[in-house]
Each structure stands twice: as structure tokens, then as C-alpha cells.
Amino acid sequence: LTSKQPIDESPVKYTKIRQLDTVNLATTIESDESPVLRSALTGDYWALDGAGSQSIIEKMKALSVPLGEYVSNKIFYGIKTGFNEAFIIDQRTRNWLIAEDSRNAEIIKPFLVGEDVKRYAIDYKKRYIILTRIGTPIERYPAVFAHLQRYQEQLEKRWDKGHHWWELRSCDYYEQFEKPKIMFPDIARRCQFAYDSDGYFSGNTTYFMSAGDEQKYLTSLLNSSLVDFFFRTISALIRGDYLRFFTQYVTQIPIRRITSTTPDEKRAALVEQGVAHYTSGRREEVLALVESCLASQPEQGDVVHDLLVYLAEQMLVLNKRRQEKVEDFSNDLYSILTTDLAKIARLWTPMNTVKKGDVDKARKLVEAQNELGTLASRQLDLHNDIGLLSESQWRWLLVQRLGHKANLSRSIKVYRDHQPLIVELDTRIATTDRLIDQLVYRLYGLTAEEVATLEARVR
């Protein structure tokens, strides 16, 4: 039976069950319950994260437009080839095809997959796609056609091909790939958006949206801790607490509304002042300037917008420079260890990829965890973590994982030559990342208490 009653605005009690205990379930529910505002239980997706979290989300939405509306719902997914083995080629195959006929370069494009898209950075792995769109005059590219013929049987069986077996499926936005854009992977541990102005094509484990210089502002917002916090309230979690960046989730991200109100000359002067504070390491002065701009009447949010564009550009530059330094480190180490290529391969293999039953690797992993502490308890990837390793830890890794004592002194010299430079870049990246977070918190009007609530959940 139902009857009409006055609307009850009292919070709903909510408990997130982390481990099902059928014996003490009632006690668990009662002891871990938290209040959820009824306003959180509207729309397609409910934010079940407690009243404190919901107040942050509501504040974000009140000042914003959904990302889908901001980009006119033009969020695209990467190319589905139907058979990657034929269309995705490596550097060596590309070079051979172009050596056969230079015209082949017209339809061979640099290509990314989801794991290549990092926060503020593209980790390009020298992959390429043979871009035989519908209508491509294949007779113009005989070497490419011969390559694809090796896979003709599999390509003919595709249901998502073009008019001919050598063609890719129909796509209305191929030209968008070669324009400036913001890209993100379909699965990641946290928000992971990168700005691309190099015209990469990408596979269906990526998404992207067109973005000019003005939209670099989005890169700062989308990689911020605040947006990461918001996204965790709406996204499905899968194995290992990975987030799914489906379009229906991403389009909900609240993008702060900003109106251009500051006269151009004054706007440029304020931005220049903020940049000068940043380059001189005066972080508090940057934040004071931002607070002053947001408190002015009318609000000078356009100045904050421009500062976030500048900081996004700095993050892009710093991350690219770091990639180059790590590449230099890797190449120098490789040149020392070329007498045993398996050893260099093992060195760059994440540490916790031990297979069941491999007792020797399991023992070495335990030793590594004891030696390196918490760093090795997660997936240690030296490309990412070399800046965190002390010289004694580096020496230990070389001995334990390579057993290559003959070149130990030269390998340590490589560490000494490169690691301090990588540490310096890591520090600058972390400092800039933190400053972006602080600007975004102020842009969305968060209080100190709300920031504490948020950072307790995302750190």
C-alpha cells in the first residue's frame, strides 16, 4: 500500500559494505553508516559518498556546466580496425614500406593505445596505423597492399570493415585526430588527460575531444585532484580499483563557468604577474593573486583561466623533458648491458608481475620488498620510479636483478649522471601539480574543511 505523504528531506542512511559478513551484517551496517543528502539521489547517477562529499559535488555543479555541454558532446573514441595485426605496424615495418615507395607515408600515421596516454604526457611507443579509409586508392600504394594481402582472409571476415577488405570501417571524424586535442585512456587508476598537438591517431582504448590553445585550461581541470574526487563518485571501479572513463561518466564532469570580464591589457598584466610569482617559486603569492581575482567585482576568473592554461603548458613541457631524460638514462644503461639483452629487459619489468608457482621470482620479490620498502610493495616501474631510488637501492637492484657485477661501476655512474636531473624534474612536476590543485580548489570555492575531506579520499 502507498499513500501520499509530505516530502521527507532528512538524510538517507548509507553504508558501503567493503567485506560481506553475514553473521554481523546488521552491526556492520549500523557502525559504518553515514548520512547522504536526498539531493544526491536524483538523476541517472547517485553520489553515495556521505554528506561531506555531496556538499563538495553540489558546489562544483552550481558553478559549472557539464563537460559534455562544454564540448558540445563531441567526445570521440579511437579507431576500431577489426584486426590490429594487419593495420598496426612498428617502426621497422613503416621504414621498410616507405623505403619501398615514399608515397606510402601518406597513409601511415603515428598511433597510440590507451596505455600510451599519461597525465599531461604522451608516451609514444613508435606504433603506426595504416590508414586505408573508405575510398583510399589502394593501387597507389602497392607495397602497403602487399602487406595487407598477408592478412586478407582475416580482413575479409571482419564485420566492421569498409567497402573493401583492405579498408577501415567508416568514420566521420578522421580529420579530428590531426587537430589539437585532449586525449584520455578508457581505463586508468586516476584521471589521466594529455594534450596532443602532434596529430596522433589512436585506438579504441582511447577517447579524445578537440581542444585549441584556450582549452588547455581543461587539461589542468581534468587532471586535478578535485575532478579525480568527483569522478570517483560516479565511475564504476574494476579490478585493482581502476576507473572506467566511459563517455557517459566523463560528460558529467563539472567545468567551471568563466566569463571574460577583465580588460585585455589588465588581464595580460595580472597573468604576467602570476607567471613571475610561479617562476620565482613564490607559490603563496600566486594563490593570493588568484584569491584577489576571484573576490573582485566583477570576478576576474579569466585571469585564473589563463594561469591554468600556462601551468598546463608547464606540465606538458616538464613531463616531456622528463621522458627525454629517462630515455637518455635508459639508452646509456642499455649501451652498458648490450652483452646480455635479457638483463636490461628484466630490469625494466615491473616488480610485482610474479606468476603463480614461480618460487624463485617470488623469493626475489620478497627480498626486493624488504630492501626497498613501500616503493616495491606496489608495481615498481623504473621509468616512473627511478627518481625515488637511492644509490644504495639502485646498486642492490643491479646486483639482485641483473647479477651483472662486471659493469656495476659503470651502471652506477649512469645513475649518478641522470638520476639527480630526473629528481629535479619530479620535484618541479609535483610542485606545479600541487599548485594547480590549489588554484582549482579556489576556482570552485572550496573551504579548507572541504579540501581536507577531499584530500583524505584521493591521496
Side-chain angles (χ1 to χ4, degrees):
L1 297 176
T2 61
S3 62
K4 186 175 182 180
Q5 299 290 333
I7 296 175
D8 182 359
E9 297 293 351
S10 62
V12 175
K13 295 177 181 178
Y14 164 74
T15 302
K16 183 175 183 178
I17 303 296
R18 291 174 172 79
Q19 185 172 353
L20 192 59
D21 181 354
T22 56
V23 177
N24 300 306
L25 184 58
T27 303
T28 300
I29 291 173
E30 186 174 352
S31 61
D32 293 344
E33 71 183 22
S34 59
V36 174
L37 300 178
R38 289 180 181 267
S39 57
L41 310 180
T42 59
D44 293 333
Y45 301 96
W46 292 1
L48 299 173
D49 249 337
S53 299
Q54 183 58 27
S55 67
I56 297 173
I57 292 168
E58 290 188 348
K59 182 176 286 188
M60 292 176 69
K61 289 181 176 179
L63 298 170
S64 307
V65 297
L67 177 61
E69 181 180 335
Y70 189 91
V71 299
S72 302
N73 289 314
K74 292 182 178 179
I75 297 180
F76 307 104
Y77 58 82
I79 297 169
K80 297 178 180 179
T81 70
F83 193 72
N84 282 352
E85 188 174 351
F87 292 101
I88 309 306
I89 59 175
D90 59 15
Q91 181 79 48
R92 182 178 179 180
T93 305
R94 171 192 179 271
N95 292 347
W96 176 80
L97 288 171
I98 292 175
E100 287 290 303
D101 188 338
S102 61
R103 292 182 300 180
N104 291 333
E106 298 169 357
I107 59 170
I108 298 177
K109 305 293 183 179
F111 186 78
L112 304 173
V113 297
E115 65 183 20
D116 300 333
V117 183
K118 313 296 186 181
R119 292 184 72 241
Y120 293 105
I122 300 295
D123 186 13
Y124 181 46
K125 300 291 179 55
K126 305 296 184 184
R127 295 185 184 92
Y128 298 86
I129 183 170
I130 296 174
L131 200 68
T132 48
R133 311 181 192 189
I134 291 177
T136 295
I138 198 66
E139 66 278 0
R140 179 179 170 83
Y141 313 105
V144 168
F145 186 65
H147 166 80
L148 294 176
Q149 276 186 309
R150 296 165 53 200
Y151 307 98
Q152 181 172 347
E153 181 180 352
Q154 296 95 321
L155 295 179
E156 285 178 340
K157 293 177 180 178
R158 292 176 301 153
W159 65 269
D160 54 351
K161 58 180 178 290
H163 300 325
H164 303 285
W165 62 263
W166 61 82
E167 293 177 335
L168 295 168
R169 62 186 290 174
S170 176
C171 177
D172 295 331
Y173 50 85
Y174 277 125
E175 69 283 354
Q176 298 297 328
F177 283 99
E178 297 185 280
K179 296 179 180 179
K181 56 188 178 291
I182 293 174
M183 308 181 71
F184 55 99
D186 63 342
I187 301 174
R189 284 191 179 275
R190 63 161 299 173
C191 288
Q192 210 161 281
F193 294 81
Y195 188 83
D196 166 43
S197 57
D198 293 324
Y200 290 109
F201 285 72
S202 61
N204 62 339
T205 54
T206 67
Y207 294 88
F208 71 93
M209 61 196 97
S210 298
D213 285 344
E214 281 291 299
Q215 281 72 47
K216 284 181 181 176
Y217 156 75
L218 285 179
T219 316
S220 291
L221 287 189
L222 295 172
N223 282 315
S224 70
S225 293
L226 178 58
V227 167
D228 189 74
F229 165 82
F230 172 84
F231 200 78
R232 289 176 186 280
T233 69
I234 61 171
S235 171
L237 288 173
I238 58 171
R239 50 181 169 75
D241 288 339
Y242 279 84
L243 299 166
R244 298 303 305 267
F245 287 85
F246 292 137
T247 303
Q248 66 263 33
Y249 299 141
V250 174
T251 53
Q252 296 180 64
I253 296 174
I255 303 301
R256 174 67 147 80
R257 287 190 296 269
I258 292 180
T259 305
S260 296
T261 58
T262 312
D264 290 346
E265 188 174 338
K266 184 176 183 180
R267 177 174 174 176
L270 289 170
V271 173
E272 185 178 350
Q273 183 181 345
V275 169
H277 290 325
Y278 167 79
T279 55
S280 301
R282 298 192 297 268
R283 172 179 165 276
E284 293 304 322
E285 282 83 349
V286 177
L287 297 177
L289 174 64
V290 166
E291 289 169 357
S292 174
C293 289
L294 294 174
S296 67
Q297 295 297 328
E299 179 187 82
Q300 296 172 324
D302 45 4
V303 175
V304 184
H305 168 280
D306 292 354
L307 285 173
L308 286 170
V309 169
Y310 172 79
L311 292 175
E313 290 171 343
Q314 291 300 299
M315 289 292 279
L316 295 169
V317 169
L318 290 170
N319 277 280
K320 186 172 183 179
R321 194 174 301 163
R322 187 189 189 279
Q323 284 181 328
E324 291 168 353
K325 295 298 181 185
V326 171
E327 188 72 17
D328 290 344
F329 173 84
S330 180
N331 288 338
D332 284 358
L333 187 64
Y334 181 86
S335 67
I336 293 171
L337 301 174
T338 49
T339 54
D340 190 344
L341 300 185
K343 291 175 180 178
I344 186 69
R346 286 212 310 276
L347 180 64
W348 298 103
T349 300
M351 292 189 66
N352 67 346
T353 55
V354 180
K355 295 180 181 179
K356 281 187 176 181
D358 194 331
V359 178
D360 185 53
K361 285 186 178 180
R363 178 182 56 78
K364 288 184 177 181
L365 178 60
V366 171
E367 292 174 356
Q369 290 172 335
N370 291 336
E371 179 71 18
L372 300 179
T374 57
L375 180 61
S377 66
R378 61 184 175 81
Q379 184 160 325
L380 175 62
D381 179 344
L382 297 186
H383 282 91
N384 294 326
D385 298 324
I386 183 61
L388 300 175
L389 291 174
S390 68
E391 184 173 318
S392 62
Q393 291 171 334
W394 175 244
R395 181 190 300 269
W396 185 89
L397 276 175
L398 288 171
V399 173
Q400 293 296 320
R401 302 189 70 191
L402 301 183
H404 197 57
K405 297 180 182 180
N407 289 324
L408 186 60
S409 61
R410 292 176 62 197
S411 300
I412 290 174
K413 184 179 184 303
V414 170
Y415 170 93
R416 290 173 179 170
D417 288 344
H418 294 287
Q419 197 262 3
L421 300 174
I422 296 170
V423 170
E424 180 184 347
L425 287 168
D426 284 344
T427 301
R428 293 179 63 187
I429 289 169
T431 300
T432 305
D433 201 16
R434 179 64 177 162
L435 182 60
I436 289 172
D437 276 347
Q438 294 298 319
L439 264 64
V440 172
Y441 295 153
R442 286 159 174 77
L443 188 62
Y444 283 84
L446 267 61
T447 65
E449 291 76 14
E450 288 169 334
V451 170
T453 296
L454 180 154
E455 295 195 337
R457 292 179 179 270
V458 299
R459 295 298 178 190

